[in-house]
């Protein structure tokens, strides 16, 4: 992933996570669990509505905003996450063990970035850089 995009995601791990079901948008806050190359990983409960929405339509967009600088990434969620990666995500995120007894209580999601936009509103004119992966 481009260094500018990584900087934004490192500053703020909470992102707006947008799905669409039956033509209706749904947005909620998700925490980035891991970034590996152009892949962004998330975890959620299989009991949550968002999981059912993603099963129906796995196309998502995320938006990360920190001050006047932000990044947007779009792609299609992959649900096939190796057990080793699931364990790593669970073990390295201090919040997850407080909410879930075991890493198996979660579903893990990989967002392979298909395209991204970087914005910086501090510059004149504002900076916009588009990336296709």
């Amino acid at each position: 992933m481009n260094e500018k995009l990584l900087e934004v995601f490192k500053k703020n791990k909470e992102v707006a996570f947008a799905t669409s079901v039956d033509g209706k948008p749904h947005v909620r806050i998700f925490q980035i669990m891991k970034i590996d190359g152009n892949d962004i990983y998330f975890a959620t409960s299989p009991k949550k509505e968002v999981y059912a929405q993603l099963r129906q339509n796995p196309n998502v967009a995320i938006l990360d905003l920190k001050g006047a600088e932000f990044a947007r990434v779009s792609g299609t969620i992959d649900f096939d996450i190796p057990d080793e990666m699931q364990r790593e995500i669970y073990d390295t995120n201090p919040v997850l063990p407080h909410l879930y007894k075991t890493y198996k209580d979660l579903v893990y999601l990989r967002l392979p970035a298909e395209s991204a936009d970087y914005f910086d509103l501090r510059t004149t004119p504002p900076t916009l850089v588009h990336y296709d992966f």
Side-chain angles (χ1 to χ4, degrees):
M1 184 166 300
N2 173 278
E3 194 60 38
K4 283 285 189 192
L5 294 170
L6 280 173
E7 285 178 30
V8 175
F9 290 128
K10 286 179 182 177
K11 289 178 191 174
N12 185 38
K13 296 265 185 200
E14 287 72 34
V15 298
F17 188 97
T19 60
S20 177
V21 177
D22 298 329
K24 297 178 183 173
H26 300 268
V27 180
R28 78 277 298 145
I29 301 300
F30 258 57
Q31 184 180 53
I32 294 173
M33 298 290 145
K34 179 179 179 66
I35 298 176
D36 184 18
N38 289 340
D39 296 331
I40 304 171
Y41 290 87
F42 301 94
T44 192
S45 168
K47 298 175 184 175
K48 289 187 176 180
E49 184 179 12
V50 66
Y51 179 65
Q53 292 169 353
L54 288 167
R55 281 301 199 185
Q56 185 177 346
N57 181 355
N59 297 302
V60 302
I62 63 170
L63 179 69
D64 195 334
L65 172 66
K66 186 67 175 177
E69 188 178 36
F70 56 101
R72 178 177 53 209
V73 174
S74 299
T76 303
I77 290 294
D78 177 11
F79 298 95
D80 187 23
I81 310 304
D83 189 72
E84 180 180 302
M85 179 64 77
Q86 293 179 27
R87 287 176 190 261
E88 178 185 334
I89 290 169
Y90 183 84
D91 291 341
T92 58
N93 187 304
V95 173
L96 295 179
H98 291 291
L99 299 174
Y100 303 95
K101 291 182 181 181
T102 174
Y103 80 101
K104 289 289 190 183
D105 291 339
L106 294 157
V107 290
Y108 298 84
L109 315 168
R110 180 176 68 91
L111 173 59
E114 295 170 8
S115 67
D117 295 303
Y118 168 79
F119 300 89
D120 189 343
L121 302 178
R122 299 171 297 184
T123 61
T124 305
T127 301
L128 164 59
V129 181
H130 178 78
Y131 303 94
D132 286 313
F133 301 105

